[in-house]
Amino acid sequence: ETTLFVDLEKPLKFTTIRLKNLSGRERKLSVTGYTEWVLGDLRSKYSMYILTEKDAETGALFSRNRYNSIFYEQVCFFTAFASKMSFTCDRVEFIGRNGSLQAPAALSRTKLSGKNGASLDACAAIQIHVDLYVDEEKEIIFRLGAGNNEHETLNIIETTKDPEYAHDALNNVHNFWNETLGVVQVNTPDHALN
């Protein structure tokens, strides 16, 4: 089960994936999150200027576009709640030469290279290995966000790192829409119209 939503207060998107092993045997799986960085108005215009790196403190994948004068200080990030993971920031490695997003080369590998830096066809890919016993359930949570500068980005990552934050943020989104859409109620003799 996959749920995508954005935080009501922070510049942050969550992708939660809940896995349950109903196969009757132990399973070893990998879950991969992937995003392509644009960091400007056109990918083709800015792709050569995007710098990627793995933050040593948080483990998040950072991207910046210093060439774009409007968002010069902005730092975008992609990260996940996981202990066993590998990553790449190289789109060519992830998709493969002459490959496609319908069948990326990275999904046939057991580990990504950890490549990051300048002069890459920039992306952010995180591959998480998951072992599931019979009837076991696990949740993977990816976070994609941005801050106006590195300090703000680190603050967002730090204050949202607990999986309970994601659960609370989803409840807040549900409550917001229930309140917003529940303001007007119609009562007519035809219950189907109500």
Side-chain angles (χ1 to χ4, degrees), residues 37-56:
W37 300 117
V38 177
L39 306 183
D41 55 355
L42 298 171
R43 182 172 174 14
S44 59
K45 181 177 171 183
Y46 288 104
S47 64
M48 70 179 91
Y49 302 109
I50 296 173
L51 174 66
T52 58
E53 67 179 304
K54 181 179 180 186
D55 181 59

Side-chain angles (χ1 to χ4, degrees), residues 2-185:
T2 302
T3 306
L4 293 118
F5 62 97
V6 294
D7 194 289
L8 289 175
E9 298 174 4
K10 297 181 192 263
L12 185 60
K13 173 185 169 183
F14 290 96
T15 303
T16 64
I17 301 170
R18 188 176 302 277
L19 303 169
K20 185 169 184 180
N21 184 358
L22 301 174
S23 69
R25 62 186 176 90
E26 183 179 346
R27 299 299 303 247
K28 294 181 182 295
L29 308 169
S30 65
V31 176
T32 305
Y34 173 80
T35 190
E36 290 183 10
W37 300 117
V38 177
L39 306 183
D41 55 355
L42 298 171
R43 182 172 174 14
S44 59
K45 181 177 171 183
Y46 288 104
S47 64
M48 70 179 91
Y49 302 109
I50 296 173
L51 174 66
T52 58
E53 67 179 304
K54 181 179 180 186
D55 181 59
E57 184 180 326
T58 64
L61 302 179
F62 284 180
S63 67
R64 306 165 207 260
N65 179 357
R66 302 272 190 193
Y67 182 74
N68 186 327
S69 60
I70 297 171
F71 303 109
Y72 180 80
E73 291 293 321
Q74 190 172 51
V75 179
C76 300
F77 70 90
F78 187 55
T79 189
F81 299 112
S83 56
K84 293 186 207 175
M85 68 181 201
S86 61
F87 75 94
T88 187
C89 294
D90 183 7
R91 187 172 174 267
V92 174
E93 174 191 346
F94 184 80
I95 294 174
R97 295 216 184 274
N98 303 316
S100 71
L101 283 176
Q102 287 72 30
L107 298 186
S108 64
R109 297 186 189 112
T110 57
K111 188 176 181 183
L112 300 175
S113 71
K115 192 182 226 183
N116 65 92
S119 302
L120 299 174
D121 188 358
C123 75
I126 297 174
Q127 189 174 66
I128 300 167
H129 296 281
V130 181
D131 296 333
L132 285 171
Y133 296 108
V134 176
D135 293 325
E136 185 178 14
E137 190 172 325
K138 289 190 178 175
E139 182 179 57
I140 308 294
I141 302 173
F142 292 100
R143 294 175 294 161
L144 174 66
N148 290 321
N149 53 52
E150 188 170 333
H151 176 73
E152 184 178 306
T153 299
L154 288 168
N155 185 47
I156 293 168
I157 293 169
E158 184 63 30
T159 58
T160 64
K161 69 181 181 182
D162 188 344
E164 281 307 310
Y165 183 92
H167 301 149
D168 291 343
L170 180 58
N171 286 334
N172 292 340
V173 168
H174 283 293
N175 292 337
F176 170 80
W177 285 110
N178 286 336
E179 290 173 15
T180 301
L181 301 175
V183 172
V184 176
Q185 294 187 8

